[in-house]
Amino acid sequence: MRLGYFTMPVHPMHRNWAETLKEDREAIILADKLGFYDAFMGEHLTDACETITNSMMFHASLIPATTRIKLATGTSNLSHMHPVLIAVQAAMFDHLAEGRFILGVSPGALTTDAEALGILDEDRNKMFAEAIDVILAIWEREPPYDIDFPDNRYKVSTARTMTLDLGVGIMARPYQRPRPEIVGTVVAPFSPGVVLMGKRDFHPLSANFLLSKHLKSHWQNYCKGKAEAGAEANVADWRVARAICVLDDDKAAARYGRYDEKSPYRFYYEQMRAKMKRGNRLYVFKSYKEQPDEEITHDYVMDHCVIHGSVNKVVDQILALREEIGDFGELVYAGMDWVEPALNKRSMQLMAEEVMPRVNAAIGKSAAAA
């Protein structure tokens, strides 16, 4: 099982933006040194806490500062830009990173982003589907492209103005062929969108907001989509994100990861619960569909969404998660604000150097016994 990294990020509004950008970069540079496989960075345009406005631009600053880790948009919000822009910018990034690039995609869920862009009343899921079709077509076709799909608002051609012997009218293709890995974040239980991911060979990343009991539904739907496309699903392609605080003893991890009023994990899930409530999406935290909203308290969310403890305790919880939902290819560690930087760094170090080797040893031992 691989170890990945994902962050929104979520910082308190009073913090200096330049400082949190440095912190976010430092976290991914550390992840690279510790051997994390990839790092996903979220993006929003109109959120004073979630302060990365363009994940591709942010990651570009990390290309020369890292050596191994794959840099992943987490996500590029496809309703926010014309697909030509995403296609050519992602292709350039892939070349800059010499293939250390994963294209994470989503429609863009934040309504204030949509309002600011003048698309609040648009069907952003439809815009997303139309955009991804065009992006893939740009990467697959030769100029003049002549992309004109039925019921798709984006029409792309360079036929009227191209001069191919001068290179004019040609759009870049990615470094990776035929394309970079494409990953979609999945939040809702039983999400039908995962079926479509399976059909198109996009890979699912199950969000760390969702209760573990619902995660299996993502894999089941992904397998359904793969089967409908005449292919077999590979568990290596399924990423599962979790909020984890692992420290040298259970007491320290419980304080920092759960109970201290200044805990960055408490702040993170206070933000997530409030934002899900605002958007009528508290269902992501519910144990069952009809569960009353008033039961979804801050402490309820913390109890269900945060893994914390010493190395042995966290190893046991990860193995229990795997027993509950089945095998998956990558555990994605959710990054938090660095209230106490030494503890955030120690947690990442223990995850990479102690927890994951023990998890993988237990998985290997179990497989050998079978």
Side-chain angles (χ1 to χ4, degrees):
M1 185 187 297
R2 304 183 304 271
L3 175 63
Y5 182 84
F6 165 78
T7 186
M8 310 281 277
V10 181
H11 299 293
M13 282 188 282
H14 69 266
R15 293 201 61 193
N16 179 279
W17 194 6
E19 292 302 315
T20 58
L21 288 170
K22 291 176 184 176
E23 181 181 295
D24 296 330
R25 291 186 75 258
E26 187 178 353
I28 294 176
I29 291 168
L30 176 60
D32 178 60
K33 291 176 179 176
L34 291 170
F36 282 61
Y37 178 76
D38 47 28
F40 289 82
M41 175 58 72
E43 66 178 36
H44 293 290
L45 304 177
T46 59
D47 192 318
C49 294
E50 301 178 37
T51 49
I52 302 298
T53 58
N54 186 300
S55 56
M56 215 177 292
M57 183 186 296
F58 174 84
H59 273 321
S61 78
L62 286 161
I63 294 171
T66 56
T67 59
R68 298 176 295 174
I69 198 166
K70 287 181 176 285
L71 302 169
T73 58
T75 60
S76 289
N77 297 322
L78 299 192
S79 67
H80 293 181
M81 281 193 214
H82 195 286
V84 167
L85 293 174
I86 296 286
V88 298
Q89 290 170 4
M92 184 180 78
F93 189 104
D94 200 27
H95 282 268
L96 286 170
E98 296 185 11
R100 287 195 294 124
F101 174 61
I102 297 169
L103 179 61
V105 294
S106 75
L110 191 59
T111 51
T112 50
D113 285 358
E115 182 181 2
L117 292 169
I119 57 171
L120 183 59
D121 297 324
E122 298 280 348
D123 183 342
R124 295 185 296 282
N125 286 316
K126 187 174 189 299
M127 293 176 74
F128 166 82
E130 294 169 2
I132 198 66
D133 284 344
V134 171
I135 291 166
L136 294 177
I138 289 169
W139 290 347
E140 292 164 358
R141 296 188 182 188
E142 300 293 336
Y145 306 100
D146 289 333
I147 299 167
D148 187 1
F149 296 125
D151 195 30
N152 188 313
R153 76 197 67 204
Y154 303 111
K155 315 300 180 185
V156 179
S157 176
T158 60
R160 291 177 58 192
T161 57
M162 69 183 187
T163 309
L164 298 185
D165 60 323
L166 295 177
V168 176
I170 300 171
M171 287 184 271
R173 288 179 175 173
Y175 179 91
Q176 299 173 79
R177 297 300 176 87
R179 59 166 173 80
E181 180 183 9
I182 297 177
V183 172
T185 301
V186 192
V187 177
F190 308 98
S191 170
V194 193
V195 179
L196 298 176
M197 286 187 198
K199 286 183 178 181
R200 306 202 64 169
D201 195 31
F202 302 163
H203 299 157
L205 193 167
S206 298
N208 54 293
F209 320 136
L210 195 64
L211 270 59
S212 61
K213 67 180 294 181
H214 299 307
L215 293 171
K216 188 182 289 187
S217 71
H218 292 174
W219 181 244
Q220 291 167 340
N221 279 1
Y222 185 70
C223 289
K224 179 182 177 182
K226 294 294 283 189
E228 289 178 6
E232 187 173 344
N234 184 346
V235 292
D237 297 332
W238 184 24
R239 293 170 168 87
V240 174
R242 296 284 91 183
I244 301 171
C245 179
V246 53
L247 293 172
D248 292 286
D249 62 77
D250 291 338
K251 185 176 179 181
R255 178 188 73 80
Y256 197 61
R258 174 65 178 87
Y259 295 105
D260 193 314
E261 286 302 314
K262 295 181 180 179
S263 163
Y265 294 80
R266 288 191 67 83
F267 173 72
Y268 180 93
Y269 279 105
E270 183 178 38
Q271 279 274 315
M272 291 302 103
R273 188 183 75 89
K275 287 175 178 176
M276 294 300 177
K277 183 177 180 179
R278 170 185 175 274
N280 296 315
R281 300 175 70 197
L282 275 181
Y283 59 81
V284 303
F285 294 124
K286 293 186 176 184
S287 296
Y288 55 97
K289 188 176 181 180
E290 296 79 17
Q291 187 174 8
D293 285 359
E294 54 267 24
E295 291 186 10
I296 312 303
T297 64
H298 188 195
D299 283 328
Y300 171 93
V301 173
M302 293 292 291
D303 287 341
H304 285 82
C305 293
V306 181
I307 293 172
H308 60 80
S310 60
V311 169
N312 287 338
K313 185 176 179 181
V314 169
V315 168
D316 288 344
Q317 290 177 83
I318 292 170
L319 292 173
L321 172 68
R322 185 174 176 271
E323 186 70 23
E324 178 184 8
I325 70 173
D327 198 10
F328 53 97
E330 182 172 318
L331 178 64
V332 181
Y333 178 96
M336 303 288 156
D337 183 73
W338 284 12
V339 174
E340 298 180 43
L343 296 185
N344 291 77
K345 294 175 186 179
R346 182 60 173 161
S347 182
M348 291 177 66
Q349 180 186 13
L350 289 172
M351 274 300 301
E353 296 180 354
E354 299 287 343
V355 172
M356 292 308 294
R358 295 189 198 186
V359 167
N360 282 320
I363 292 172
K365 186 176 180 181
S366 176

